[in-house]
Amino acid sequence: MRKIRGLSFLLVLGLFVGLLAACSSNAPASEEPSSDSNDNKNKDVELRIIAANHPWTEAIEPLIPQFEQESGIKVKLEKYFEDQLTQKLTTEFTAGSDSIDVFMIRPLQEGKLFNLNGWVADLTSYTGDSDWDLSDFTESSVNSLKDGEKIFGIPTVTEREILYYRKDIFEENNIEPPKTLDDLYEIAKQLNDPSNDFYGMVSRGQRAAAVTQFSSYLYGFGGDFIVDGKAAIDTPEAIKAFEFYGNLLKDAGPPGVLNMSWPQAAGLFAQGKAAMYTDADSIYPNLLDPEKSVVGEKVGFAVFPEGPEGQTPYNVTSWGVAMNAKSKNKDAGWEFIKWATSKDIVAELQKKSVPGPRQSVWDSPEGTEAFPEELVKVISESNKIGKEYDRPLVIKVNEARDMIGTAIVTGIEGGDVEAAAKEANKQFQQLLDDEN
């Protein structure tokens, strides 16, 4: 009986060992998924991506087949002009559409509205990938797409307000680029020569369009659009900023400045008719392009000057990418966002003069080779300072800009700035109350 039991035990043991061996022989050599398994997993996934007609889209579109090959995910890209894009997204999201997966977003224009309406997915849990490295993004660029600790988008295109100046004119007059706003005004007055159709300063004067560029002046005087939840464009600091900006363009600016947004202001500078120009650094190609500019290599770049209360140019994310909260392909959508905002792709896009949000790319020769050396230094320095918004963070951004712009126009016209600021502040406060 003991021998039978012993034999039975050996038979069972042998069968168990055989089963183990069979399982081992059929198991994959590694626990890492193969590229084939990734392709199978994603072979039926097609992402619908809605984008703007923008240099970022033009630069990344030729690279998308690379993403498709690596991931197995198909991409259907749709492109629209900016206003059409906003209308398209708003219409589909209002209808509860889940067919859009990833889309371009202007965080300072639509970010608050889209977030409050629940149209953007919370990406916070996705952003912990150490290889992707969220910490490499400049702080201000990420803050533009955050609501508290929630990250609802990833920055793709950044810009800062800087000073453009004519190097040749400054050298002829033995002048250094202004370090302060007071210096800016004095130099503008000194170089202003309207009898020869040459002006010391140009910047936006068109009512709503001027607000974003005025913001850096406002911050430099210690003001802001909203303070402690209340409208703050009639504070003493704000009134001083309105007066300064108005006097600068009234005393040293060109005729017709009230009709100038960035194309008109940049065009005047590019035609050699102004000594200085403050606006977004992303405009620089228009000033260097020989088909659009006669000043070309004469253009200099400087950090936005310091105001009485500090050096605070805006440093914003003009565009980012977000995910539809109702998308059925969130993991695949994140794979695209992660790829499109990776260090390698951001570096590739910066070779095409698209200014990105990653500091490591700005610190690398590869990421800066397409930009003028002086501009790279200005951007790198500006990345460390400034505010992450250039307009009030409200839902009705356009209406708010119109209100604030009336005080800017009044200053340029030489009118009663304080009265205009108080009236605009009353209207702006009503807008805030209505939104709240």
Side-chain angles (χ1 to χ4, degrees), residues 107 134 136-146 153-158 315-317 319 356-358 388:
L134 178 64
D136 185 43
F137 290 78
T138 61
E139 183 178 0
S140 63
S141 71
V142 177
N143 286 344
S144 298
L145 288 151
K146 289 180 74 174
I154 305 300
T156 54
V157 184
T158 62
N315 179 9
V316 304
T317 297
W319 286 96
R358 286 187 174 273
E388 61 266 21

Side-chain angles (χ1 to χ4, degrees), residues 15-209:
L15 287 170
F16 181 71
V17 171
L19 284 171
L20 282 177
C23 289
S24 294
S25 65
N26 292 328
S30 168
E31 293 183 2
E32 293 294 322
S34 68
S35 59
D36 288 342
S37 66
N38 281 332
D39 289 344
N40 289 333
K41 172 183 158 186
N42 295 318
K43 69 177 182 178
D44 295 325
V45 176
E46 180 178 81
L47 294 176
R48 184 181 174 211
I49 297 177
I50 310 296
N53 283 316
H54 185 274
W56 182 85
T57 313
E58 293 174 9
I60 203 169
E61 187 173 8
L63 305 178
I64 288 178
Q66 170 190 331
F67 167 76
E68 292 178 316
Q69 184 176 2
E70 292 174 356
S71 67
I73 298 168
K74 302 301 181 193
V75 171
K76 179 184 177 184
L77 181 67
E78 299 175 28
K79 296 179 288 184
Y80 300 90
F81 292 110
E82 290 183 13
D83 291 343
Q84 292 175 322
L85 173 70
T86 301
Q87 184 177 7
K88 178 74 173 174
L89 293 172
T90 301
T91 300
E92 292 210 27
F93 290 155
T94 301
S97 171
D98 61 8
S99 69
I100 296 174
D101 296 301
V102 174
F103 58 95
M104 285 178 69
I105 185 173
R106 294 178 291 181
L108 302 177
Q109 195 70 18
E110 301 108 2
K112 187 168 185 178
L113 173 65
F114 283 23
N115 183 47
L116 286 175
N117 284 347
W119 294 342
V120 286
D122 185 350
L123 302 179
T124 313
S125 62
Y126 287 107
T127 60
D129 189 329
S130 59
D131 292 335
W132 178 71
D133 193 8
L134 178 64
S135 67
D136 185 43
F137 290 78
T138 61
E139 183 178 0
S140 63
S141 71
V142 177
N143 286 344
S144 298
L145 288 151
K146 289 180 74 174
D147 177 14
E149 295 303 311
K150 172 188 174 182
I151 299 174
F152 60 84
I154 305 300
T156 54
V157 184
T158 62
E159 59 184 45
R160 297 131 289 266
E161 185 164 10
I162 67 170
L163 173 70
Y164 299 95
Y165 68 97
R166 283 283 299 279
K167 290 189 291 187
D168 56 328
I169 301 294
F170 274 62
E171 289 172 5
E172 288 171 11
N173 290 274
N174 197 28
I175 301 172
E176 293 294 322
K179 299 291 187 184
T180 68
L181 289 178
D182 285 342
D183 291 341
L184 177 73
Y185 179 82
E186 294 302 326
I187 293 172
K189 283 282 290 177
Q190 177 184 341
L191 298 178
N192 196 45
D193 188 9
S195 62
N196 288 307
D197 198 22
F198 187 81
Y199 305 93
M201 184 70 199
V202 66
S203 191
R204 303 185 198 183
Q206 199 177 85
R207 187 171 70 178

